[in-house]
Amino acid sequence: MRNIISLVLGGGRGTRLYPLTKYRSKPAVPLAAKYRLIDIPLSNCINSGLNRMYVLTQFLSVSLHRHLRQTYRFDNFDGGFVELLAAQQISEDAEADWYQGTADAVRKNLRYLTQPGIDYVLILSGDQLYRMDYRDMLRTHQECGADVTIAGMPVDR
């Protein structure tokens, strides 16, 4: 499982959850007292044996950064991490450096995903509630020889 990087998308503006998102991003919204929405995908990763995670953030991310920094610490010997990748200005045109959506956020951070020894990238939403063992999905992905695998749940209207 060391050849997998998890990339957790730290959420957009969160307008549909206003006023909960007035001062924080969607993934930073409290859940069950001391937890935040971001803890769900990160917990799924850890329980699946995946402990190398990047979290992409952009909007109202201070409380999310604080929560992640105080909560997720791995020992120095296992190589695990939760690393924050905030949108950053890298050119003269500051507007162009903001993420223009999910695909653009991934594209602007490709250098972290194309490191030697990384064979798989797991891209997750940071603001959804579900429980999943990603090892099962990876096994199916490998057995099918797929280039891309998308997990979803059927929902009745």
Side-chain angles (χ1 to χ4, degrees):
M1 299 303 257
R2 297 196 48 76
N3 63 341
I4 302 173
I5 287 288
S6 299
L7 187 65
V8 182
L9 303 171
R13 293 189 192 275
T15 54
R16 289 178 295 196
L17 288 181
Y18 192 85
L20 296 174
T21 55
K22 184 176 181 179
Y23 300 111
R24 62 175 58 93
S25 63
K26 280 189 292 184
V29 169
L31 176 72
K34 66 181 179 176
Y35 300 103
R36 308 287 177 107
L37 286 174
I38 191 81
D39 293 323
I40 303 304
L42 296 179
S43 176
N44 284 334
C45 285
I46 292 168
N47 290 324
S48 298
L50 307 174
N51 66 353
R52 300 173 69 196
M53 298 164 269
Y54 290 111
V55 178
L56 276 60
T57 63
Q58 179 168 282
F59 297 104
L60 298 171
S61 58
V62 172
S63 68
L64 179 61
H65 288 198
R66 183 182 313 113
H67 173 73
L68 294 174
R69 194 175 51 252
Q70 292 173 350
T71 305
Y72 295 96
R73 297 182 184 145
F74 297 93
D75 71 50
N76 294 331
F77 299 105
D78 73 358
F81 60 84
V82 173
E83 184 82 27
L84 296 164
L85 300 176
Q88 55 187 320
Q89 185 175 351
I90 56 175
S91 68
E92 299 285 327
D93 185 9
E95 267 311 299
D97 292 328
W98 286 106
Y99 300 142
Q100 302 299 311
T102 303
D104 187 52
V106 173
R107 180 185 63 82
K108 287 182 177 173
N109 288 284
L110 279 176
R111 68 175 176 253
Y112 299 103
L113 311 178
T114 57
Q115 301 172 44
I118 302 302
D119 297 320
Y120 301 99
V121 178
L122 179 64
I123 301 174
L124 305 167
S125 171
D127 56 12
Q128 296 179 352
L129 299 174
Y130 64 96
R131 184 176 63 193
M132 185 172 186
D133 187 339
Y134 300 126
R135 291 175 288 210
D136 297 336
M137 185 171 66
L138 177 64
R139 189 176 310 106
T140 301
H141 175 83
Q142 291 170 327
E143 288 170 358
C144 294
D147 292 326
V148 175
T149 299
I150 299 174
M153 296 282 294
V155 177
D156 293 331
R157 286 184 169 247

